[in-house]
Amino acid sequence: MLRMIRTFAVPALCALVLSPVAAKPAAPIAHAQMVRVALGSTFKQPASGRLLIFAMPLKDAQAAAQGGPVEEVDTSPFSPTQTAVAALEVPHLAPGGAVLMDADSVSFPQPFSKLTPGEYAVQAVLDVNHNYNYGGRGTGDLVSKVVTVRLGGADAATPDLTLTRELTERMQPWKLSSRVPEAARARIQPALDAAKGHTHEIDFVSPALTAFWGRPIHMRGWVLLPPGYAEHKGQRYPTVYFTHGFSANHASLTFNAASTWKLMSEGKTPPMIWVFLDESSPTGTHEFADSVNNGPWGTALTTELMPKLESTYRMDARPSGRFLTGHSSGGWATLWLQVRYPKIFGGTWSTSPDPSDFHDFTGPDLYAPHANVYRKPDGSPWPLVRDKGKVIATFQQFAQLERVLGPYGGQMASFEWVFSPKGKDGRPQPMFDRATGDVNPKVVDYWRDHYDIAYRIKTQWPKLKPYLDGKIHLFVGTADTFYLDGAAHKLKAVLDSVGAKSSFDFIPGKTHFDLYAKGGDREWLHKEIAWQMYRVARPKAKIPTAYTATTP
């Protein structure tokens, strides 16, 4: 994780680091909105990181607090312009010292001095691990109390904030956050407790990844054993490899294990071994793809970790007994693994995968002449996030908010860490210009040749067909929150054009977040997928009537 902590150059007069005995600072740029942030004297060590200032209109912050005190001000990609954010890299801040930062220099959606005049709830966060862009504020980050300040206009004040609290781990394996309502706690915690006794932690040091990085790299996750595993010592079980979506991590996978155990223990899904793989990293999600930037994650999984697991647990190690499934970024990862290693796996059931055909990268065609991810050819903005037919964020808003939060770990940067060639500065080459949205065609050519799944199938089908035909199963909602149904349609068209057997379910009206629910059953799709897999692994097994008509 330390490889993501970097020092970034800042414009002259952008900020001044102050100590308790510092000389009087130079006068700030005229009309710029300045913010003073101090590190509380109770801290014993200096701090560094990306300093983030969040400012939300007071009435909105109070509404979000639902009548309680406003204790946190944050941003959200689902309401990107509601909260203003400013940022500054702070290489060294001593206890009792302060930094005077220009909240106009690096900000979103506009300079703080241009905000609509009024009262704002303001909070400072020091992102010490440079991972805010992936999971938000977390362990070790330093935060201030929320203060009310007038911003915008001639009478704007200078917020004076003090970092007084260090955050503890917000999510721990097998434990619910204290923020979870009691009714939900009563329903979820027993499932976590029950699954824990049947789950084994994975902490494997990969030789291939360690050689790439020059230091030990751990592959992490959980192995969930099915009911009866201990009693039936001569039995081997089909194995499902699952990986998560963007912003999830090792701890959150225990919730997947708990829901899976509950369904298996109640006989609602078949007895299989489930391997829950953590694909989070300081650069975002590594997608289990071999990458010149992230390292050989696909090689490490298929040639190191999987053999280790299969020698430890009674897994069905035949291709017909190894399956893949995942949602969103995990959907892309499992789709990629199936296409990249078709001889190893017996099928992928990928849900709402990230773009599998770069002719539709959540809308924009990256291969179009003069492609731009911010603006359509007619000049209108490309939408990126929708809800119930309403656009709630554009591609430009999403990308530029991410840039302020930090040039590492965000969704767009994550794609580049996986897909892009390495630049002269040692970082991935950007696929598009963050200021203008213009696409770099040379980078896109590299993306196409190495990671465009549809292109790989189209150009390599004769070689892939004997091992891949009939193994791709994809589910996506027609109202997917991130427009991911578009790329899925294009992938299906390519598979159809080469005569491939595949299964695509475009579920009417479903979004990115309610895809698995049907009626009152929140796990309907999970059960559907599990039984489809089991029919492949155990074709003679008795299948519940509700699932016998489904073609795997």
Side-chain angles (χ1 to χ4, degrees):
M1 185 168 289
L2 289 177
R3 60 191 155 96
M4 293 310 301
I5 299 179
R6 303 174 184 271
T7 300
F8 296 85
V10 293
L13 298 180
C14 177
L16 292 164
V17 178
L18 311 177
S19 70
V21 293
K24 184 178 179 180
I29 299 172
H31 307 301
Q33 175 64 62
M34 308 304 289
V35 179
R36 183 183 185 275
V37 181
L39 179 62
S41 57
T42 57
F43 290 104
K44 303 303 181 183
Q45 299 293 330
S48 64
R50 191 168 183 86
L51 182 60
L52 301 170
I53 308 297
F54 300 92
M56 180 185 290
L58 183 60
K59 62 178 182 179
D60 293 341
Q62 291 172 334
Q66 298 180 336
V70 179
E71 297 180 341
E72 185 173 288
V73 182
D74 209 340
T75 187
S76 168
F78 301 102
S79 184
T81 60
Q82 184 181 44
T83 304
V85 188
L88 172 71
E89 282 296 324
V90 177
H92 181 91
L93 185 57
V99 59
L100 185 65
M101 66 176 287
D102 176 0
D104 286 3
S105 180
V106 180
S107 58
F108 176 87
Q110 59 188 340
F112 274 36
S113 64
K114 303 298 184 182
L115 294 175
T116 301
E119 297 292 311
Y120 285 78
V122 182
Q123 187 175 32
V125 177
L126 186 66
D127 176 18
V128 300
N129 294 315
H130 290 89
N131 58 4
Y132 187 98
N133 242 332
Y134 185 78
R137 52 192 77 175
T139 307
D141 287 346
L142 308 182
V143 301
S144 73
K145 292 182 178 180
V146 176
V147 300
T148 300
V149 181
R150 186 165 186 83
L151 298 175
D155 58 347
T158 298
D160 195 346
L161 306 166
T162 302
L163 301 167
T164 56
R165 182 165 59 96
E166 180 178 351
L167 296 181
T168 56
E169 194 164 6
R170 287 199 160 190
M171 180 180 290
Q172 300 180 48
W174 310 110
K175 292 183 180 180
L176 287 170
S177 165
S178 59
R179 298 182 175 191
V180 175
E182 192 58 39
R185 180 180 298 277
R187 174 174 55 85
I188 300 172
Q189 191 62 56
L192 286 165
D193 295 339
K196 186 177 180 181
H198 302 272
T199 308
H200 300 262
E201 187 169 11
I202 299 169
D203 189 353
F204 174 77
V205 177
S206 161
L209 290 166
T210 295
F212 179 88
W213 285 106
R215 57 185 175 82
I217 300 296
H218 294 248
M219 303 181 77
R220 306 188 69 195
W222 308 90
V223 175
L224 173 66
L225 302 176
Y229 181 88
E231 293 79 9
H232 300 95
K233 297 187 182 299
Q235 184 172 342
R236 291 192 174 273
Y237 294 85
T239 301
V240 183
Y241 290 87
F242 170 95
T243 191
H244 55 75
F246 193 84
S247 81
N249 55 29
H250 181 251
S252 66
L253 283 170
T254 58
F255 291 87
N256 300 100
S259 61
T260 302
W261 169 257
K262 187 173 188 297
L263 291 173
M264 281 200 296
S265 65
E266 293 173 349
K268 295 178 179 178
T269 56
M272 298 190 288
I273 296 174
W274 285 73
V275 180
F276 298 95
L277 296 168
D278 180 8
E279 66 164 337
S280 65
S281 77
T283 66
T285 50
H286 54 65
E287 312 286 321
F288 288 100
D290 286 1
S291 161
V292 296
N293 302 297
N294 287 330
W297 282 93
T299 296
L301 173 65
T302 56
T303 67
E304 296 175 349
L305 181 58
M306 286 176 56
K308 174 65 175 178
L309 295 176
E310 290 174 351
S311 68
T312 304
Y313 303 98
R314 298 196 308 275
M315 297 176 170
D316 184 344
R318 299 171 297 175
S320 60
R322 294 193 196 107
F323 305 116
L324 295 156
T325 188
H327 186 70
S328 195
S329 294
W332 190 94
T334 50
L335 187 58
W336 170 255
L337 286 168
Q338 182 62 69
V339 174
R340 176 63 181 83
Y341 306 99
K343 297 180 183 180
I344 295 177
F345 299 102
T348 185
W349 281 256
S350 302
T351 63
S352 306
D354 286 346
S356 51
D357 185 326
F358 298 153
H359 285 97
D360 190 324
F361 195 74
T362 66
D365 178 358
L366 301 187
Y367 303 126
H370 311 293
N372 187 292
V373 295
Y374 290 171
R375 297 287 171 181
K376 298 179 181 180
D378 65 4
S380 60
W382 277 110
L384 182 65
V385 187
R386 61 181 169 179
D387 184 47
K388 298 180 177 63
K390 179 183 178 182
V391 175
I392 56 179
T394 67
F395 201 120
Q396 182 173 2
Q397 290 170 337
F398 195 96
Q400 292 186 337
L401 170 58
E402 178 181 293
R403 181 175 63 170
V404 172
L405 295 175
Y408 31 69
Q411 178 66 84
M412 299 305 166
S414 179
F415 287 134
E416 291 166 342
W417 275 91
V418 178
F419 300 152
S420 287
K422 191 182 293 292
K424 293 180 180 179
D425 61 356
R427 295 176 62 87
Q429 292 184 33
M431 182 271 284
F432 66 99
D433 187 301
R434 295 310 196 264
T436 66
D438 289 335
V439 168
N440 184 331
K442 292 184 179 179
V443 173
V444 168
D445 285 348
Y446 185 93
W447 282 32
R448 177 199 61 210
D449 294 343
H450 293 82
Y451 301 105
D452 187 319
I453 293 173
Y455 181 79
R456 186 180 187 87
I457 291 171
K458 184 175 182 178
T459 57
Q460 300 184 30
W461 183 245
K463 181 175 66 175
L464 294 171
K465 180 179 180 179
Y467 311 105
L468 186 59
D469 208 18
K471 291 184 177 181
I472 291 178
H473 314 266
L474 192 150
F475 302 81
V476 66
T478 61
D480 184 83
T481 310
F482 303 102
Y483 297 85
L484 295 171
D485 49 317
H489 276 291
K490 291 191 178 299
L491 176 62
K492 182 180 185 302
V494 168
L495 285 161
D496 290 346
S497 72
V498 298
K501 298 175 184 177
S502 63
S503 173
F504 281 70
D505 284 329
F506 296 92
I507 305 177
K510 289 296 183 178
T511 72
H512 204 69
F513 302 107
D514 64 2
L515 185 72
Y516 278 62
K518 185 176 183 178
D521 186 353
R522 290 181 295 183
E523 297 288 350
W524 169 81
L525 187 55
H526 181 117
K527 291 183 283 188
E528 178 80 11
I529 287 172
W531 285 112
Q532 287 189 23
M533 292 173 173
Y534 203 65
R535 288 183 66 200
V536 174
R538 303 290 183 265
K540 296 182 179 180
K542 185 178 180 179
I543 305 296
T545 304
Y547 303 99
T548 54
T550 303
T551 301

